[in-house]
Amino acid sequence: MAPPTKASSGPKKPLRLLMLHGYTQSGPLFHSKTRALEKAITKALSSYDAHFSYPTGPIKLNPADIPGYNYTSDGDEEPEPAFGWWRRKDRVHPIRKGETEIVYTGIQDGLGRIAQTIRDDGPFDGVIGFSQGACSAGMVASLLEPGRKEAFDESSSQEAQREAFPSSFIFDNAKPQSPLRFAIIYSGFPAPGQRYAAFYEPPLKTPTLHFLGTLDGVVEEARSRALIEKCQRPREAVHPGGHFLPSQRPWLDAAVSFIRGNMDKAKDDGGGDLNATEVKEERVEEMDIPF
């Protein structure tokens, strides 16, 4: 895992951000790709002491797991170490004959790695994720909301094959983690099927900002919008690019403004979280960001 980076010093209120990389990336690689975003947050939110934590997923990938990579041993360089939070597997449904289902193998390990980062580097104010890391970010925001474990317990009682609430996300009072103040989702998507329904039923209360690329050929718009529909307070920003974090000023400003708005909201509420207060609905056209 890349060590947390400290953006500024001084007697300031901390702003801790959990940064989750995409499939085939790593914490250090994702850090190198988010320098523009990190710089924009640090500069614009200078009243906060910003910290960014970049864990690496526990699933080490083989060359065959990397889309589009054709590795041969006759002189080709080996790929950079690549990791994921889980592997996708399509299989025959164990109960419903004739149906297939998508299973995220290793997901409990992936969420466990994130939970350990929360214990080591948290508590966190928000999470920022890209692609598979964006899906993970939505899961993390969900798991930290009040009442989510009960939703998982009820879901598991209906069908044994549904995903159980991760025991790694049961935090003790010695190292508490409140519901996140926000989640920023780049090229995100929901975990599909009834197996993972409890992550999104009831819908996420955590304020979310979703970035969609009009030329994204990896995570198509319909998948991203499926996640948006599972959030109670979604905002969206559509950029004219592909499967990456946009680093142009308008999109950096959008992320910064979203963070500032939710941190200021928490400050106005005396540091409250989703257990204590509901976030008021805000009209998109009233926000000073290019949605």
Side-chain angles (χ1 to χ4, degrees):
M1 181 179 76
T5 60
K6 187 175 181 181
S8 60
S9 60
K12 303 176 182 180
K13 181 178 175 60
L15 168 62
R16 293 189 174 92
L17 298 174
L18 176 61
M19 312 291 288
L20 302 179
H21 65 78
Y23 190 67
T24 76
Q25 296 183 337
S26 65
L29 178 59
F30 190 47
H31 185 203
S32 71
K33 293 179 177 295
T34 58
R35 292 191 187 278
L37 177 62
E38 188 173 310
K39 181 178 179 180
I41 293 171
T42 302
K43 182 177 180 180
L45 301 177
S46 58
S47 61
Y48 292 93
D49 190 10
H51 298 253
F52 303 79
S53 293
Y54 292 82
T56 293
I59 310 297
K60 192 173 190 309
L61 304 176
N62 301 314
D65 297 318
I66 302 175
Y69 184 82
N70 296 315
Y71 172 72
T72 60
S73 59
D74 53 354
D76 286 356
E77 293 184 5
E78 292 192 17
E80 292 292 326
F83 300 86
W85 301 105
W86 63 79
R87 283 187 176 94
R88 169 177 166 156
K89 180 180 180 181
D90 294 53
R91 72 176 190 182
V92 176
H93 197 285
I95 295 178
R96 304 188 188 100
K97 293 184 178 180
E99 295 186 19
T100 60
E101 69 169 348
I102 296 172
V103 177
Y104 288 167
T105 60
I107 187 173
Q108 292 287 344
D109 292 335
L111 292 172
R113 174 67 57 85
I114 295 171
Q116 189 58 52
T117 303
I118 293 174
R119 290 182 172 87
D120 293 342
D121 299 340
F124 289 98
D125 296 290
V127 60
I128 298 176
F130 169 68
S131 196
Q132 192 186 75
C135 179
S136 301
M139 292 179 179
V140 171
S142 168
L143 291 171
L144 293 174
E145 292 181 355
R148 189 61 63 178
K149 186 178 185 303
E150 291 74 13
F152 270 82
D153 292 343
E154 181 179 353
S155 178
S156 297
S157 68
Q158 297 173 3
E159 185 176 313
Q161 298 300 319
R162 297 193 180 187
E163 196 72 26
F165 187 90
S167 59
S168 58
F169 270 78
I170 300 176
F171 295 91
D172 55 38
N173 292 329
K175 190 69 173 179
Q177 169 65 59
S178 298
L180 297 174
R181 305 191 193 284
F182 59 87
I184 299 181
I185 310 292
Y186 290 88
S187 299
F189 54 90
Q194 288 302 307
R195 172 178 286 273
Y196 306 106
F199 283 106
Y200 314 107
E201 298 174 3
L204 276 68
K205 291 183 178 180
T206 305
T208 54
L209 172 59
H210 304 256
F211 283 87
L212 294 76
T214 58
L215 301 179
D216 193 334
V218 178
V219 178
E220 59 271 20
E221 181 177 336
R223 291 181 71 195
S224 290
R225 293 201 176 280
L227 179 56
I228 292 173
E229 292 172 359
K230 298 181 185 299
C231 301
Q232 288 189 11
R233 303 179 184 87
R235 301 288 179 266
E236 62 180 81
V238 181
H239 63 89
H243 194 64
F244 56 79
L245 273 70
S247 59
Q248 293 83 2
R249 181 63 181 271
W251 319 115
L252 297 176
D253 288 347
V256 167
S257 296
F258 186 73
I259 295 172
R260 178 187 289 114
N262 284 288
M263 293 300 293
D264 288 349
K265 170 66 178 176
K267 187 186 302 182
D268 293 341
D269 289 337
D273 55 38
L274 291 178
N275 283 306
T277 182
E278 289 290 327
V279 179
K280 294 181 180 179
E281 184 68 22
E282 186 172 11
R283 293 176 60 84
V284 171
E285 56 267 30
E286 293 173 355
M287 300 179 73
D288 188 24
I289 48 182
F291 290 158

